[in-house]
Amino acid sequence: MDVHHRTITVDGHTIFYREAGPSDAPALVLLHGFPTSSYMYRQLIPALGDRYYVLAPDYLGFGESDAPPVEQFDYTFDALAAIVDQLLDRLGVDSYAMYVQDYGAPIGWRLALAHPERITAIISQNGNAYEAGFVEGFWAPVWAYSTDPTPETEAAIREALSMEAIRWQYLHGVADPSLVSPDTWTHDYALIQRPGNDQIQLRLFRDYVTNRALYPRLQEYFRNSQVPLQAVWGANDGIFAPEGASAFANDLPNAEIHLLNAGHFALESQLDTITGYVHGFLGRVNSQSPVSA
């Protein structure tokens, strides 16, 4: 399966994306988490590209996309979602399933709320949408920094940008850590360490509280739309607890929920299992309501 690595100019910024599969197949948009990029989907893209048109962008400030300094771009989740929305418009993708993880969830939720008619299905891999999903020990410093951004609260949150913290995100809760390539955290750390990128990440940490505030509207969207949803969730995640996956069933009784013996980046140790679940889920969705990109 050929995977193409492309760029496109969106609102004056160069946005990088990975692409595979026939353009006339049902579209699947992969939205990455923190602190990574579309690199996290490097193995999933060819695994799904035989049946779907798969598209995985890097957000502004992440991966291979432009990263203008905070003085030149107001980094918020609203702004990042707007760039992805424009990217999809530019590429003519007006009907798609989305696969969201971590930061990809609030970006995907904004796309769904803006264009509910475009979303054919949702796969959430540790992409939170409920208060029940927050692991308090991890999130307390984020809420403190959002409420009161002082040198003290900033110092606590900066720990998330360290090599050790990024490595922890990949290895915590993984039954066999030897399955996870160290290329993952060294790759992410190198990009986070680019000059000025720390300020980008700090802006987004401060803005994360807006994602939490979005949950009531999002849950109403779930109830009203009954969008097909599958959760493939690393149950040992120290950031988003498995209760966040189970909570989808409160609003979407037909949600398919799979709790995996994995951590936050479940694809690194459960690629084949997740690929099988996604193929089965999207196959059922598309057989009921055929769509095309």
Side-chain angles (χ1 to χ4, degrees), residues 184-245:
T184 53
W185 61 81
T186 54
H187 173 273
D188 291 353
Y189 179 73
L191 292 175
I192 289 290
Q193 289 301 305
R194 290 175 295 177
N197 200 268
D198 60 335
Q199 294 301 319
I200 292 172
Q201 304 307 328
L202 291 173
R203 288 284 180 94
L204 290 171
F205 282 134
R206 289 203 299 273
D207 193 59
Y208 200 93
V209 68
T210 66
N211 302 330
R212 195 179 191 181
L214 201 67
Y215 287 175
R217 280 184 60 207
L218 174 66
Q219 292 156 17
E220 182 181 19
Y221 157 71
F222 289 154
R223 290 191 295 273
N224 292 340
S225 69
Q226 290 301 300
V227 61
L229 184 140
Q230 179 185 68
V232 282
W233 203 279
N236 309 323
D237 189 356
I239 300 172
F240 294 119
E243 289 79 5

Side-chain angles (χ1 to χ4, degrees), residues 6-283:
R6 307 188 190 278
T7 60
I8 191 171
T9 301
V10 177
D11 199 22
H13 304 290
T14 299
I15 301 298
F16 172 88
Y17 63 98
R18 300 169 198 258
E19 180 186 56
S23 61
D24 60 350
L28 175 61
V29 177
L30 310 180
L31 298 171
H32 69 79
F34 166 87
T36 186
S37 63
S38 61
Y39 179 78
M40 71 167 282
Y41 295 122
R42 66 199 179 280
Q43 299 178 88
L44 185 64
I45 293 170
L48 298 176
D50 59 336
R51 303 182 197 178
Y52 303 100
Y53 171 58
V54 185
L55 179 69
D58 289 353
Y59 315 136
L60 202 68
F62 291 79
E64 299 295 329
S65 289
D66 279 353
V70 295
E71 294 80 12
Q72 296 178 17
F73 185 84
D74 185 17
Y75 285 90
T76 65
F77 285 91
D78 281 347
L80 296 187
I83 294 286
V84 174
D85 198 14
Q86 292 178 64
L87 168 71
L88 297 176
D89 283 344
R90 290 285 307 278
L91 296 176
V93 180
D94 58 8
S95 176
Y96 55 93
M98 65 169 68
Y99 183 117
V100 302
Q101 193 264 355
D102 191 81
Y103 275 14
I107 289 171
W109 305 152
R110 284 166 170 79
L111 297 176
L113 291 172
H115 309 290
E117 74 286 352
R118 297 183 181 182
I119 309 304
T120 61
I122 297 171
I123 301 107
S124 177
Q125 182 220 310
N126 301 74
N128 199 49
Y130 293 88
E131 290 288 333
F134 291 117
V135 175
E136 184 57 29
F138 179 89
W139 287 98
V142 178
W143 309 141
Y145 183 53
S146 298
T147 303
D148 187 21
T150 65
E152 291 74 23
T153 58
E154 179 180 311
I157 208 68
R158 275 185 176 273
E159 290 298 314
L161 307 180
S162 69
M163 173 73 87
E164 185 54 36
I166 295 172
R167 180 177 180 272
W168 174 86
Q169 286 203 37
Y170 279 97
L171 296 184
H172 178 79
V174 180
D176 182 358
S178 71
L179 293 174
V180 183
S181 170
D183 294 344
T184 53
W185 61 81
T186 54
H187 173 273
D188 291 353
Y189 179 73
L191 292 175
I192 289 290
Q193 289 301 305
R194 290 175 295 177
N197 200 268
D198 60 335
Q199 294 301 319
I200 292 172
Q201 304 307 328
L202 291 173
R203 288 284 180 94
L204 290 171
F205 282 134
R206 289 203 299 273
D207 193 59
Y208 200 93
V209 68
T210 66
N211 302 330
R212 195 179 191 181
L214 201 67
Y215 287 175
R217 280 184 60 207
L218 174 66
Q219 292 156 17
E220 182 181 19
Y221 157 71
F222 289 154
R223 290 191 295 273
N224 292 340
S225 69
Q226 290 301 300
V227 61
L229 184 140
Q230 179 185 68
V232 282
W233 203 279
N236 309 323
D237 189 356
I239 300 172
F240 294 119
E243 289 79 5
S246 302
F248 284 113
N250 296 337
D251 298 307
L252 296 166
N254 295 320
E256 299 182 15
I257 298 169
H258 305 283
L259 300 179
L260 309 177
N261 185 16
H264 188 64
F265 286 108
L267 280 172
E268 297 300 327
S269 60
Q270 295 278 359
L271 173 68
D272 291 344
T273 299
I274 291 174
T275 300
Y277 281 139
V278 172
H279 270 311
F281 171 66
L282 291 180

